[in-house]
Amino acid sequence: MKVDITLKVNGKLFQLSLPPSTTLLEALRDHLGFTGVKEGCGKGECGACTVLIDGKPINSCLMLAPQAEGKEVITIEGLSENGPTPLQKAFVEEGAVQCGYCTPGMILSLTALLNQNPSPSEEEIKEAISGNLCRCTGYLKIIQAVKRTTSGQ
Ligand code: FES
Ligand code: FES
């Protein structure tokens, strides 16, 4: 059995016919080609699959695609349609991208934070990425990249 759904992703509408158990992660990656959305654990523990839903970061592996109908979904591809954002530039400048697997999710979680709070404290930065695991950077460079963005360097 399949259900017809319409998803709004990065400002564009997409019509899909999918089994109702399809996760948003599967719909985005496998059916719509948004491969910037990464699959890590598949069970809500790593944050690699983070997307923004109505501006809030969520794990797309835990949400069913039909649940995202009528909501604004933003992936990393939608964030950088007009070139890298200041936060993305700061990630590169601070060496906060190593293998890069966590990076889209990190950037989206931190973008949601900065949209809400343009001058977060270090604690608030850590809290914002508490659901995003990185096995490469030790997190320090990521935190420095956010500070670089907020200080306008
Ligand atoms: S793949 Fe979704 S939280 Fe790990
Ligand atoms: S840069 Fe490799 S997991 Fe974060």
Side-chain angles (χ1 to χ4, degrees), residues 8-83:
K8 188 171 186 186
V9 185
N10 302 330
K12 297 191 186 105
L13 294 174
F14 297 91
Q15 293 187 330
L16 294 163
S17 184
L18 299 169
S21 59
T22 305
T23 65
L24 180 59
L25 170 63
E26 291 166 336
L28 291 170
R29 277 188 66 86
D30 304 340
H31 298 271
L32 296 176
F34 292 109
T35 52
V37 190
K38 302 301 181 200
E39 177 164 16
C41 64
K43 52 185 182 182
E45 290 174 2
C46 74
C49 65
T50 302
V51 298
L52 300 184
I53 301 281
D54 292 341
K56 296 205 176 70
I58 68 108
N59 293 325
S60 60
C61 69
L62 292 185
M63 186 172 200
L64 296 176
Q67 293 176 305
E69 267 207 300
K71 301 183 190 300
E72 297 269 352
V73 183
I74 302 288
T75 70
I76 195 72
E77 289 90 346
L79 207 63
S80 46
E81 269 173 351
N82 299 318

Side-chain angles (χ1 to χ4, degrees), residues 57-116:
I58 68 108
N59 293 325
S60 60
C61 69
L62 292 185
M63 186 172 200
L64 296 176
Q67 293 176 305
E69 267 207 300
K71 301 183 190 300
E72 297 269 352
V73 183
I74 302 288
T75 70
I76 195 72
E77 289 90 346
L79 207 63
S80 46
E81 269 173 351
N82 299 318
T85 65
L87 179 62
Q88 287 176 307
K89 286 185 193 157
F91 260 59
V92 173
E93 286 155 359
E94 291 291 339
V97 183
Q98 292 190 23
C99 83
Y101 206 79
C102 71
T103 309
M106 285 283 182
I107 293 279
L108 287 163
S109 291
L110 289 166
T111 296
L113 170 70
L114 293 175
N115 284 345
Q116 246 188 358

Side-chain angles (χ1 to χ4, degrees), residues 95-147:
V97 183
Q98 292 190 23
C99 83
Y101 206 79
C102 71
T103 309
M106 285 283 182
I107 293 279
L108 287 163
S109 291
L110 289 166
T111 296
L113 170 70
L114 293 175
N115 284 345
Q116 246 188 358
N117 176 1
S119 304
S121 66
E122 185 160 328
E123 281 314 304
E124 288 168 329
I125 297 169
K126 288 180 181 171
E127 171 69 26
I129 56 170
S130 60
N132 295 84
L133 301 185
C134 177
R135 63 181 184 177
C136 306
T137 64
Y139 302 96
L140 190 60
K141 290 169 187 289
I142 291 171
I143 293 166
Q144 283 170 345
V146 182
K147 289 183 176 172

